[in-house]
Amino acid sequence: MENKVAIVTGASRGIGAAIAKKLASLGATVIVNYAGSREKAETVVKEIENAGGKATAMQCDISDFNKCSEFTNDVKDRFGSIDILVNNAGITTDVSFFDMTEEEFVNVMNVNVNGIFRWCKAVAPIMKDNDGGSIINTSSMVATFGQKSGCSYAASKAAVNGLTKSLAKELGQYGIRVNAV
């Protein structure tokens, strides 16, 4: 991972923070992306730096394609490339189907599916110009098995799996590996 630049979305806590720390421990320069908590993202950066790694916290609103595009161009300008994208940011609404509003359903789909689309759309041209890269999309077992009081989350993760499979076929011809975990 030496000399590789990785963006990890939703990296200010939980799984995203663990992924960011692992990539940094392997030698990658990690962009710790966050939505709202700069303080938590900076804590992850400090932990990475204290362990001898390289990281920077950067905020981006994934609901806006232009912001994702500006963000990725800024990363490329500052760090020279983007080699890895981990689409980890996501939300859930644990509400029964009968109580879930259309707004809640759409919001989960917007972040979990459209957000991944936006990040891939912004990063793929950079990776194509670099003759390859890796995109990893976070999915869930509920994409296959469903879950009680979480139809929006299950539907979004099933969509992530379909998007991932299609992108793997299309972007693979440019040396860009796309997987879901």
Side-chain angles (χ1 to χ4, degrees), residues 13-49:
R13 61 188 174 90
I15 293 170
I19 293 168
K21 291 173 191 176
K22 182 63 176 180
L23 287 170
S25 76
L26 296 171
T29 298
V30 179
I31 310 308
V32 176
N33 167 252
Y34 66 96
S37 180
R38 181 168 188 78
E39 184 177 306
K40 288 180 182 177
E42 290 292 350
T43 298
V44 173
V45 168
K46 286 179 185 158
E47 290 173 9
I48 289 170
E49 291 174 342

Side-chain angles (χ1 to χ4, degrees), residues 3 24 49 62 78 90 92 94-95 97 100 103 119 156 161 165 177:
N3 301 316
E49 291 174 342
I62 68 169
R78 289 174 62 185
T92 188
D94 294 326
V95 177
F97 173 75
M100 184 177 290
E103 181 181 353
W119 279 111
S156 74
N161 289 349
K165 289 174 186 178
R177 294 175 308 281

Side-chain angles (χ1 to χ4, degrees), residues 1 4-37 40-42 44-45 48 54-62 68 71-72 75 79 81-90 115-116 119-120 123 127 134-138 181:
M1 294 284 167
K4 301 289 184 189
V5 177
I7 296 172
V8 182
T9 69
S12 63
R13 61 188 174 90
I15 293 170
I19 293 168
K21 291 173 191 176
K22 182 63 176 180
L23 287 170
S25 76
L26 296 171
T29 298
V30 179
I31 310 308
V32 176
N33 167 252
Y34 66 96
S37 180
K40 288 180 182 177
E42 290 292 350
V44 173
V45 168
I48 289 170
K54 297 175 277 189
T56 300
M58 294 176 69
Q59 194 275 341
C60 184
D61 176 3
I62 68 169
C68 290
F71 180 97
T72 55
V75 169
F79 299 94
S81 72
I82 299 171
D83 305 291
I84 302 162
L85 169 64
V86 180
N87 282 308
N88 174 70
I116 287 177
W119 279 111
C120 290
V123 168
M127 289 183 174
S134 295
I135 297 173
I136 302 105
N137 299 325
T138 303
V181 293

Side-chain angles (χ1 to χ4, degrees), residues 105-163:
F105 185 88
V106 168
N107 191 39
V108 170
M109 296 299 281
N110 185 42
V111 172
N112 295 2
V113 182
N114 299 352
I116 287 177
F117 170 81
R118 289 180 192 107
W119 279 111
C120 290
K121 189 81 170 162
V123 168
I126 295 168
M127 289 183 174
K128 180 181 173 188
D129 289 346
N130 290 344
D131 296 321
S134 295
I135 297 173
I136 302 105
N137 299 325
T138 303
S139 185
S140 173
M141 292 176 58
V142 301
T144 301
F145 301 109
Q147 79 179 33
K148 182 179 177 185
S149 296
C151 68
S152 59
Y153 186 75
S156 74
K157 293 304 179 175
V160 165
N161 289 349
L163 176 62

